[in-house]
Amino acid sequence: MDHLDRVREEFTRQADTFTVHAVKADKKMEVRFRDAIGDAGNGSILDVACGPGVVTAALAQRAAKITAFDATPAMLEKARAHCEEAGLENIIFREGNAQAMPFEDASFDGVVTRLAIHHFTIPQDVMNEIFRVLKPGGRAIIVDVIVSENPEEAALQNAIEIIRDPSHICMLPEAELIGSINASGLEIVDISGWDANREFEEWTGIANDPQRIGPLRTICRTLAKDGRHAGFGLSINEVDELVFFHRWRMIVANKPAG
């Protein structure tokens, strides 16, 4: 199966569960993005891999125009419904591949993407496309979960993520994510981060495939009992629940004005 088809298959099945989670995943999300986008937030914005449109709706309240872009039609429909419910009318919905975007050079004042980089087969292609479609002086906001700089821990966490959701390719260590952004030509102006505590049952429930949960639970419980935290705090709490954390990074970068 082509990877883009796998992404569409996974997120079509997850459309309902993922939408519920996205709304509550980060209560500070709207403020984080609105603060980070700066003056670019008044112009034309592209939301890459927009999912159910949570970031799209948050930024549309101030933007002149925003394009919600995703590879999965079911997710675009969720985004459309979310934005219509909010009474927002300045949004264009487009389907396509973020590694080869159907937009002209220098089309947007701002480009944002949230929790998507780890689903792309070649993340550098996406970074290069973000640079290409940004206007000179434009702003990009890249938000994703990162893994440990320890290669063994990173490989173990990514393996666990892939079992849960095969559309997952690879969450990057922070240094590699930063390197990819720099390699695109973008100039980083701010890096911030936070840890989000997660519960195994809630996290696996989002994937909406019960057949995967049992084997994955066995693997993760065995690792936790053996003290293998896999770089993301995998452990069993005082009430016998599997818990862990996701380590988020928000990187703000500008396209040089020249």
Side-chain angles (χ1 to χ4, degrees), residues 16-224:
D16 289 336
T17 51
F18 188 88
T19 298
V20 171
H21 169 72
V23 172
K24 65 180 183 179
D26 179 10
K27 295 179 180 178
K28 297 180 180 178
M29 181 278 303
E30 293 187 11
V31 174
R32 294 184 202 275
F33 272 91
R34 286 173 182 164
D35 289 349
I37 197 74
D39 291 340
N42 297 316
S44 176
I45 301 174
L46 172 66
D47 185 359
V48 177
C50 67
V54 177
V55 174
T56 301
L59 296 181
Q61 296 175 37
R62 185 158 64 93
K65 179 178 68 174
I66 185 163
T67 300
F69 182 66
D70 203 281
T72 305
M75 279 297 183
L76 284 171
E77 285 307 308
K78 291 292 184 182
R80 188 188 303 276
H82 180 67
C83 293
E84 287 179 354
E85 185 178 350
L88 300 166
E89 300 179 348
N90 57 335
I91 303 166
I92 298 168
F93 299 91
R94 291 287 301 273
E95 180 186 344
N97 181 0
Q99 293 181 194
M101 294 194 232
F103 306 113
E104 297 294 328
D105 294 357
S107 295
F108 300 97
D109 299 292
V111 179
V112 300
T113 185
R114 174 181 178 268
L115 294 184
I117 299 300
H118 60 270
H119 288 285
F120 297 120
T121 53
I122 308 176
Q124 190 62 57
D125 284 355
V126 181
M127 299 301 182
N128 293 344
E129 282 291 270
I130 288 172
F131 181 89
R132 180 183 68 80
V133 302
L134 264 178
K135 296 177 182 178
R139 172 153 291 185
I141 304 173
I142 295 99
V143 175
D144 205 9
V145 175
I146 59 169
V147 290
S148 170
E149 298 288 343
N150 179 303
E152 183 177 341
E153 291 178 350
L156 186 53
Q157 182 177 358
N158 274 309
I160 290 168
E161 296 274 357
I162 290 168
I163 293 170
R164 172 189 171 270
D165 178 356
S167 72
H168 176 110
I169 294 291
C170 183
M171 293 189 301
L172 302 174
E174 182 175 15
E176 191 171 341
L177 180 59
I178 290 171
S180 180
I181 293 169
N182 285 332
S184 73
L186 292 168
E187 297 179 346
I188 294 173
V189 296
D190 187 64
I191 300 173
S192 58
W194 58 95
D195 290 349
N197 294 325
R198 304 297 301 272
E199 297 175 355
F200 177 88
E201 301 300 333
E202 174 265 345
W203 172 66
T204 52
I206 296 167
N208 202 19
D209 186 351
Q211 188 173 0
R212 300 174 191 170
I213 297 176
L216 187 56
R217 185 186 294 113
T218 298
I219 291 168
C220 289
R221 276 194 169 273
T222 300
L223 288 169

